[in-house]
Amino acid sequence: MSDNRVYIFDTTLRDGEQVPGCQLQTSEKIIVAKTLEKLGVDVIEAGFPISSPGDFQSVIEISKAVSNPVICALTRANQKDIEVAVDSLKYAKRKRIHTGIGASDYHIKHKFRSTREDIMERGIAAVKFAKKYVEDIEFYAEDAGRADLEFLARMLEGVIAAGATVVNIPDTTGYCLPEEYGAKIKYLVDNVKNIDKAIISVHCHNDLGMATANSIAGVIQGARQIECTINGVGERAGNTSLEEVVMIMKTHNDLHLETEIKTQELNSTSGLISRLMRMPVQPNKAIVGRNAFAHSSGIHQDGVLKSRENYEIIDPADVGVASSSIVLTARSGRAALKHRLELLGHQYEGEKLDEIYQRFLVMADEQREIRDEDLLTLAGDATLADSQVTLKSLNVTCGTTTPSATIEVIYQGELKKGTAEGNGPIDAAVNALHTIVGQRVALKEILIQTITSGSDDLGKVHVQLGRDSLVYYGFAAHSDIVLAAVNAYIDAFNKVPVKVEA
């Protein structure tokens, strides 16, 4: 194996799942595990088996469901934890025990109320005990980011001698600066005599927003495993983001660091985790945020249209995004307007383009975003503008009965009415709409967020619709969340070009 190979240890199902409100059922964990296997992760930390019967069973079922990744189970440094973990891994094709103990004086004195020597003995004993059952043993020195370096080096030397194959150097509180954390890894590489017998792993938290930077600093200095989660989910401010570290190493070829991650699966994997964990991805999130490849500044739009590399260091296709998006706002320039009009079948140059652009700016100052039907209106083509939907009324019945909805809209210049049932009130309302408009568009994502607090919360809904590899966005806000969702759906639907039947 190449010395430049960096192993990706995914802990979405263990550390990531510790986020309040993000707990998954075993069936959902199996879906995630299979997706991580498809993504190409090397190690899946499947859970903390002794923590609950559900976690124990999840590790068992995940072990049955996947074949290629190593399945890892977390323990504390005691025999009972390790015995339970060993039992949970009995079906794993490749198995690892991840055991350890606190290494900083904060943990030694205030958490364990012990001494450095006692803690070291307990860590070594745990590795020796686990080694009786499993060959692949990872040792975590919790809070290593704040640990005394000389003591940390002695502890690692001891656990490696006892049989540890991987030594994890967690920045548990996200305290370290990247230069400091990198120097810590280098010190261990240079001062742990038997370090060549183990892989150094980095496990960084994001309390100060430096988890990704610290992880990269660590691998630059010799670590060869990164512990991370999809979307950076995790306790407090989260963990190192898998998609970020992977794309940093792929983009910076001069680092000569390689992974086995199939990066084209990153965007879809991010969306799956966001949906299952009910954890929206912030729009400006690196790599997988919906604005990661969106351009609204006129200068940027002109540059991207001339050559993508002017403003994009990553090809969207490399992470599974169909294409960059040019968002038309008052900040957009003539180049972006001309480009979008051409996509809609209208070619304009010179004075005519200038005339449309001036009218575009007036409209853009009044609206946050210019839609395709707005452009066609500016261009004198009413085909799409006439096909847009305007909600007039919505009545929904739900509860112990099958959800149903009746909707009235203005469509193609006429008041039309539709009724349908669905799995819930929103689904019923959308189904009722489609009895009128006929054309169904794939619902890729619907996110509902609370803006205010109290029983009369104002809810904001974000919708993504997809057709022909393109994505259309819709937004709405209302105290009635069903009404907000339907308005957001209509907002997105109105941006989808009408399909003309041959």
Side-chain angles (χ1 to χ4, degrees), residues 160-161 163-166 193-199:
I160 293 171
T165 52
V166 181
K193 296 176 182 178
N194 53 359
I195 198 65
D196 60 310
K197 302 288 195 302
I199 293 171

Side-chain angles (χ1 to χ4, degrees), residues 185-193 195:
I185 299 300
K186 186 176 189 308
Y187 178 89
L188 297 173
V189 169
D190 293 341
N191 291 277
V192 176
K193 296 176 182 178
I195 198 65

Side-chain angles (χ1 to χ4, degrees), residues 96-111:
R96 176 183 295 180
I97 296 291
H98 190 188
T99 192
I101 199 165
S104 72
D105 287 336
Y106 291 95
H107 282 223
I108 293 170
K109 294 177 181 178
H110 304 300
K111 179 178 174 180

Side-chain angles (χ1 to χ4, degrees), residues 264-306:
Q264 294 81 4
E265 301 291 332
L266 287 172
N267 191 59
S268 60
T269 304
S270 167
L272 174 72
I273 297 301
S274 176
R275 291 191 297 275
L276 291 181
M277 288 191 162
R278 298 161 292 280
M279 175 75 76
V281 177
Q282 66 192 60
N284 62 326
K285 168 74 170 64
I287 314 301
V288 293
R290 68 174 179 268
N291 292 343
F293 300 99
H295 306 273
S296 63
S297 160
I299 294 173
H300 286 217
Q301 289 172 338
D302 180 60
V304 167
L305 290 172
K306 288 174 177 173

Side-chain angles (χ1 to χ4, degrees), residues 321-375:
V321 175
S323 64
S324 306
S325 59
I326 302 296
V327 181
L328 295 182
T329 69
R331 308 284 81 78
S332 300
R334 285 173 178 80
L337 175 63
K338 182 175 183 290
H339 171 73
R340 182 67 72 80
L341 284 169
E342 287 176 351
L343 291 177
L344 294 172
H346 293 269
Q347 299 266 353
Y348 293 106
E349 303 284 350
E351 291 184 5
K352 182 61 175 177
L353 178 62
D354 287 341
E355 176 192 332
I356 293 176
Y357 182 64
Q358 293 307 316
R359 286 190 279 128
F360 162 81
L361 289 178
V362 173
M363 182 181 287
D365 278 334
E366 296 174 354
Q367 301 176 204
R368 286 186 300 178
E369 182 181 339
I370 299 299
R371 303 175 298 185
D372 284 349
E373 62 265 26
D374 299 321
L375 291 181

Side-chain angles (χ1 to χ4, degrees), residues 450-458:
T450 299
I451 298 176
T452 59
S453 59
S455 59
D456 58 346
D457 290 359
L458 183 64

Side-chain angles (χ1 to χ4, degrees), residues 206-220:
N206 206 39
D207 298 72
L208 293 175
M210 294 186 289
T212 293
N214 282 340
S215 295
I216 294 299
V219 294
I220 287 173

